[in-house]
């Protein structure tokens, strides 16, 4: 069981790196937030898929960040 310490160490380091990786998605998050906010303005209506393009860009960025975290930044 002593080998588990190395595994948990790698997991912890990946989890610590994840917020930094997600920070790289700031532009995508801001664009999605602006879209949602605009649809919630007076007279606006938030509907399914209204901000789909912005959401997809944000999702793609998150997926790329998660992959970098899992591979150790490679």
């Amino acid at each position: 069981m002593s080998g588990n310490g190395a595994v948990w160490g790698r997991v912890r380091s990946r989890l610590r790196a994840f917020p930094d990786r997600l920070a790289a998605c700031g532009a995508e998050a801001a664009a999605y937030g602006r879209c949602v906010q605009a649809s919630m303005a007076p007279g606006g209506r938030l509907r399914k898929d209204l901000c789909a393009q912005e959401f997809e860009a944000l999702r793609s960025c998150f997926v790329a960040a998660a992959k970098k975290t899992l591979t150790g930044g490679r």
Side-chain angles (χ1 to χ4, degrees):
M1 294 296 263
S2 64
N4 276 344
V7 171
W8 285 113
R10 285 194 307 269
V11 169
R12 274 191 224 103
S13 69
R14 288 178 186 158
L15 288 174
R16 284 188 196 114
F18 197 60
D20 293 334
R21 304 243 191 252
L22 289 182
C25 300
E28 292 85 351
Y32 180 64
R34 280 192 300 273
C35 181
V36 170
Q37 183 180 23
S39 67
M40 298 300 290
R45 290 186 51 179
L46 184 60
R47 296 183 320 272
K48 182 179 180 190
D49 297 330
L50 183 65
C51 300
Q53 182 178 358
E54 292 84 352
F55 178 78
E56 185 57 35
L58 180 58
R59 189 188 72 75
S60 295
C61 186
F62 282 173
V63 168
K67 285 180 182 178
K68 283 182 184 178
T69 300
L70 288 175
T71 60
R74 287 178 244 134

